[in-house]
Amino acid sequence: MLLLQKGNNTYTMRNSLVLLACWLVAFKPLPQATITRERADELLAQLPAWDPWVRSPDASTLAWNESPTLHGLADMYEATNDAHYLEILARRGQNVLSHRDDRRNVTDGSGKVRPGWSMASKYVVATGKLGDVIDVRSTPSAYNNQTTVEVIPANGTFTIVVNNKFFKRKEVFADLSIDASHPRFVEKAINDPMAPYSCAAGEYTDKSNLIRVKLLKKAIPAAETITLKPVPLAYSGYYGVIYQPMLRFAELVKKNPALKSLVPAADSFIVAAAQSYEDIFKRLWREGPNKGEGYFLTCEQGESFPADNVGAPFNFQGRQVCALLALHRLTGKKVYKEKAEKICRMFKNRLRYDQQKDLYEWNYWFEPMTTVGWKPGDNLSSNVKVFKPYAITEDVSHGILDIAMVAEATAAGVVFDQTDLKRFANTLLVNVMTPDGCDMRRRVDGLGPAHPAYFNQLHGWLELAPGNEKVYPVIKQAYLCKNEESFVFCARLLKWGKKLQ
């Protein structure tokens, strides 16, 4: 057998060939992306066969994982007229409905059973108790499920150590007392009424940016370490995201007599969506901020969305519009269109128009988040006592929810028109896409470098194709250039390729 000598090591030719083969496999170029029905079917077959809720029972799973798949199935039907895709959508949609809180008879943090899906992971307030002595509640905007609280008793006093690995933050509060008159009274030493919504990394000993505590009884807590547990919230911000593809299905089925076998599923989706919106119309709808405008709150005051009792971001309002307009078409009830119009008007009135580039830019949120904020005395939010105004520009990922609103409203003749659609298309072509045409920037103002993590959301910008003939070929070329295939992206390209023929 041929041997290769190198110093004191001896290698066989066989081992060398094995290493070479492994190297060739590791660095083998990926096959070129293709945009065909056959490839879309292959990508669909590669999706996990299990119900995503089973592995991650959280509303965010349905909003960000399952909903795009349902849209992809509706897109494939529009591209091919093959009812097989709608049959899959019907089955998967029924699974989604089966996980609704009221279908499972579970309560969220309010103690009530809602016609929605609870989230109870990183996007809600988390709480815990140190024995029966101290109540603990988180203060940051997210990742509170990663906060741990340790108690170390010592000679009539005690130390509390708070950690959050995501924020890379550690807080140590020593020599604590249960005496309200003591300078190290536990509530006085830890609670910060001015704690910000965000959270900085580092080690700290003065006031907490992770928790707020309340002494329940005068006793030194025992030694223990707890991890805060999320407080479930049936988050209405996801309703539009989750329902829109099911309502698309309903409209497609209702328009085609050949799909009458799917009418029961379509009707169940319509009824379910109407139930959810009836609930939040009563609890979370607000008129304003200006005349003719309206919006949904994130949640009721004291519930577990970190910024409670304020308007939900533009993007979540946007998908609500899509669902509301579909419900209006399917039921004929004016209330859905009236509320959709008010949300659209509220958004349009806050767009920034760049006359030179003939495009729009906009923020992630609206007032008071972006203008005056609030302070503890305003008693606006129970979870976030103070908020310094911060007008952050919308990102291109959440931005596809805004774009969906604009496209649906334009098609319905509600608030937006073809001029607006053209300007949003220019935002994509001028600000969002990188000069090489192979990636997209992070925010809709076009500042900063490419942000590859958001690339697979580019498919959502295809809804602007009617506003500029360049939109479809630019996004198609980016998909081929980037060579990061997905079923959802491929299906959306196939749909728009057919619609634009």
Side-chain angles (χ1 to χ4, degrees):
M1 184 179 291
L2 181 62
L3 300 178
L4 301 177
Q5 302 290 334
K6 182 177 180 182
N8 294 327
N9 297 323
T10 302
Y11 299 91
T12 65
M13 177 63 78
R14 181 181 298 172
N15 289 342
S16 298
L17 291 174
V18 169
L19 290 171
L20 177 60
C22 291
W23 185 89
L24 290 173
V25 169
F27 292 95
K28 180 181 178 180
L30 293 173
Q32 179 60 45
T34 55
I35 306 168
T36 64
R37 176 180 179 175
E38 292 73 23
R39 184 55 181 154
D41 286 340
E42 291 173 354
L43 293 168
L44 175 60
Q46 292 172 15
L47 296 178
W50 62 81
D51 182 345
W53 178 275
V54 174
R55 293 200 175 191
S56 182
D58 192 87
S60 62
T61 300
L62 302 178
W64 306 132
N65 294 340
E66 187 64 1
S67 173
T69 300
L70 299 184
H71 273 297
L73 291 165
D75 289 341
M76 288 302 296
Y77 172 75
E78 291 194 48
T80 66
N81 291 319
D82 188 338
H84 169 67
Y85 298 107
L86 293 184
E87 291 167 358
I88 300 173
L89 196 163
R91 291 195 297 272
R92 297 183 75 126
Q94 293 298 335
N95 276 341
V96 170
L97 291 185
S98 73
H99 302 311
R100 221 169 65 170
D101 288 8
D102 56 342
R103 304 291 178 93
R104 296 180 296 122
N105 195 31
V106 299
T107 62
D108 70 357
S110 70
K112 297 179 180 179
V113 178
R114 306 287 195 194
W117 299 265
S118 281
M119 60 176 180
S121 182
K122 61 186 178 183
Y123 297 123
V124 291
V125 169
T127 62
K129 278 187 170 59
L130 299 172
D132 60 351
V133 178
I134 295 177
D135 185 75
V136 184
R137 190 176 180 91
S138 65
T139 58
S141 61
Y143 300 99
N144 298 302
N145 57 334
Q146 296 188 35
T147 296
T148 62
V149 184
E150 179 184 10
V151 179
I152 307 171
N155 300 322
T157 65
F158 59 101
T159 295
I160 287 183
V161 180
V162 190
N163 276 288
N164 186 292
K165 290 184 178 179
F166 178 84
F167 292 120
K168 299 177 181 178
R169 183 181 179 96
K170 180 179 181 180
E171 301 172 345
V172 180
F173 305 99
D175 302 320
L176 296 174
S177 170
I178 58 172
D179 182 353
S181 64
H182 195 280
R184 294 294 294 169
F185 176 51
V186 59
E187 292 183 18
K188 186 187 302 181
I190 292 178
N191 296 348
D192 182 2
M194 305 299 285
Y197 193 53
S198 56
C199 196
E203 295 191 10
Y204 301 85
T205 59
D206 182 32
K207 301 296 183 185
S208 179
N209 193 181
L210 290 172
I211 63 171
R212 184 180 300 124
V213 300
K214 181 179 181 180
L215 187 66
L216 302 176
K217 73 176 186 179
K218 297 191 71 173
I220 301 295
E224 67 171 318
T225 300
I226 64 170
T227 299
L228 299 189
K229 294 182 178 180
V231 179
L233 172 68
Y235 180 51
S236 64
Y238 287 148
Y239 289 5
V241 179
I242 294 172
Y243 278 124
Q244 191 198 0
M246 290 190 275
L247 295 174
R248 282 183 64 194
F249 167 93
E251 291 196 89
L252 292 169
V253 168
K254 296 284 187 175
K255 290 176 182 177
N256 189 346
L259 300 173
K260 63 181 180 181
S261 65
L262 297 175
V263 168
D267 288 340
S268 72
F269 294 160
I270 297 168
V271 169
Q275 290 169 342
S276 296
Y277 280 105
E278 181 181 8
D279 173 56
I280 63 172
F281 283 172
K282 297 175 183 175
R283 298 188 297 113
L284 303 178
W285 177 258
R286 298 291 184 271
E287 298 289 323
N290 299 323
K291 184 178 180 180
E293 301 176 347
Y295 60 93
F296 289 103
L297 297 177
T298 55
C299 67
E300 295 181 62
Q301 187 164 10
E303 290 190 310
S304 60
F305 194 87
D308 57 310
N309 198 40
V310 298
F314 281 134
N315 40 70
F316 289 118
Q317 309 278 356
R319 275 291 197 214
Q320 306 286 33
V321 166
C322 298
L324 292 173
L325 289 175
L327 280 172
H328 173 254
R329 292 189 293 268
L330 288 162
T331 69
K333 293 183 178 180
K334 294 181 180 180
V335 64
Y336 298 122
K337 184 177 181 181
E338 289 169 354
K339 285 180 167 47
E341 286 180 344
K342 290 180 178 181
I343 294 173
C344 288
R345 192 171 295 113
M346 189 264 294
F347 178 61
K348 186 172 182 178
N349 287 345
R350 286 153 185 78
L351 294 172
R352 301 189 298 272
Y353 176 54
D354 185 324
Q355 187 171 6
Q356 183 176 2
K357 298 178 181 178
D358 192 27
L359 54 78
Y360 287 133
E361 296 174 7
W362 63 99
N363 291 330
Y364 176 88
W365 226 314
F366 56 98
E367 64 263 37
M369 312 289 282
T370 57
T371 52
V372 297
W374 62 85
K375 54 188 181 299
D378 296 329
N379 194 32
L380 179 62
S381 167
S382 296
N383 299 325
V384 183
K385 302 295 185 181
V386 64
F387 190 92
K388 295 182 179 180
Y390 184 48
I392 187 171
T393 299
E394 178 67 285
D395 64 80
V396 300
S397 177
H398 286 93
I400 67 174
L401 308 183
D402 307 314
I403 296 305
M405 165 177 55
V406 171
E408 288 288 330
T410 300
V414 172
V415 178
F416 294 99
D417 57 25
Q418 287 297 320
T419 297
D420 296 308
L421 204 65
K422 176 185 175 183
R423 290 172 179 172
F424 281 104
N426 288 343
T427 301
L428 167 73
L429 299 170
V430 177
N431 283 2
V432 174
M433 298 303 301
T434 55
D436 64 2
C438 290
D439 218 324
M440 57 199 305
R441 297 185 176 92
R442 184 169 188 170
R443 302 198 181 277
V444 299
D445 58 10
L447 301 180
H451 193 68
Y454 285 167
F455 180 78
N456 274 319
Q457 301 305 313
L458 180 57
H459 65 82
W461 292 78
L462 278 164
E463 302 309 301
L464 297 173
N468 190 311
E469 63 182 9
K470 295 179 181 178
V471 167
Y472 179 79
V474 163
I475 293 180
K476 177 181 178 180
Q477 182 56 38
Y479 181 75
L480 297 173
C481 174
K482 191 74 169 179
N483 207 29
E484 292 182 3
E485 293 185 293
S486 80
F487 166 67
V488 174
F489 208 145
C490 186
R492 188 61 56 91
L493 283 164
L494 288 171
K495 181 192 82 168
W496 277 105
K498 179 180 179 180
K499 289 174 73 74
L500 295 171
Q501 285 179 349

